[in-house]
Amino acid sequence: TLMNMLGLLDICTSGEYLIDGKDVSNLSDDELSEIRNKEIGFIFQGFNLIPSLTAKGNVELPLIYRGVKKEEREKLSVDALRRVGLEKRMNHLPSQMSGGQQQRVAIAVARALINQPLMILADEPTGNLDSHSGKEVMKILHELNDEGRTIILITHDNEIAEEGTRVVRISDGRIIEDRPSNRA
């Protein structure tokens, strides 16, 4: 629920949520969509890739929606896939890739690399992965954070939580802990 509200997929029924000083409860659906498209990247546990599209096709899709010309889409999608170490898997379908590879495609699709959003919402991004693939995904998220992006990572894994700079624990809709991580 919190991720959906932060990602503007659901709107708060009380309280106030400001993005760039704007109260999101006063924005139209089109304005909310534009903010989601340009300022917020999503990484889901279930990858959310389109099975009939190659890795490159999945990464290009959000650029098509934004009206980016074919030549620029090609360059951006290839660069994004190279950055997550999938330059040799660009023409593979999701079913032809491991879970870790699919999650790296999802990170590129997440507009984390394509749209350069300031905030990335990651919902259990390592939840369906083996430990090696999970470490690769966390390395990419750390790199994105080092470049200035805010990463909000939702996890039930305490070790993964401690990799952030701040840990906020929520139980039954209430904050029960808010502290710097052991890494900070």
Side-chain angles (χ1 to χ4, degrees):
T1 301
L2 177 61
M3 188 172 123
N4 284 351
M5 291 202 306
L6 292 175
L8 304 177
L9 299 170
D10 294 334
I11 299 299
C12 307
T13 55
S14 65
E16 191 176 54
Y17 176 26
L18 305 176
I19 293 184
D20 291 333
K22 297 177 201 157
D23 184 346
V24 300
S25 66
N26 296 323
L27 300 178
S28 70
D29 286 342
D30 287 345
E31 291 169 316
L32 293 170
S33 291
E34 186 171 336
I35 291 170
R36 272 192 307 273
N37 191 31
K38 293 183 177 175
E39 298 183 34
I40 302 170
F42 296 91
I43 301 170
F44 298 100
Q45 180 178 6
F47 315 136
N48 287 5
L49 300 177
I50 296 174
S52 61
L53 293 179
T54 64
K56 189 167 156 290
N58 269 284
V59 175
E60 283 184 349
L61 193 59
L63 297 171
I64 292 169
Y65 291 134
R66 287 186 61 207
V68 175
K69 294 185 181 186
K70 184 175 173 49
E71 192 173 290
E72 181 69 5
R73 279 195 321 259
E74 172 87 15
K75 180 187 177 306
L76 289 170
S77 61
V78 168
D79 288 347
L81 288 164
R82 272 196 191 112
R83 183 147 179 224
V84 296
L86 292 175
E87 57 275 0
K88 293 181 179 165
R89 306 292 286 176
M90 285 187 218
N91 295 314
H92 288 78
L93 297 171
S95 63
Q96 298 169 318
M97 293 184 277
S98 70
Q101 290 168 335
Q102 289 182 59
Q103 188 62 296
R104 285 185 282 155
V105 173
I107 288 171
V109 172
R111 299 131 187 100
L113 303 173
I114 293 294
N115 289 350
Q116 308 276 321
L118 296 175
M119 178 170 52
I120 297 169
L121 301 173
D123 184 15
E124 297 281 2
T126 62
N128 287 333
L129 305 178
D130 61 59
S131 62
H132 176 73
S133 296
K135 285 178 184 168
E136 288 180 345
V137 166
M138 290 306 297
K139 180 179 179 270
I140 294 167
L141 292 176
H142 283 296
E143 289 169 1
L144 291 167
N145 184 244
D146 291 344
E147 292 170 5
R149 291 185 187 76
T150 298
I151 310 291
I152 299 173
L153 192 142
I154 292 112
T155 185
H156 290 92
D157 184 324
N158 290 330
E159 279 185 49
I160 296 292
E162 290 298 334
E163 287 198 40
T165 55
R166 181 175 170 191
V167 175
V168 178
R169 293 192 196 285
I170 299 174
S171 179
D172 298 325
R174 300 208 183 280
I175 295 173
I176 59 170
E177 182 180 27
D178 183 352
R179 63 169 173 81
S181 73
N182 294 329
R183 179 178 183 250

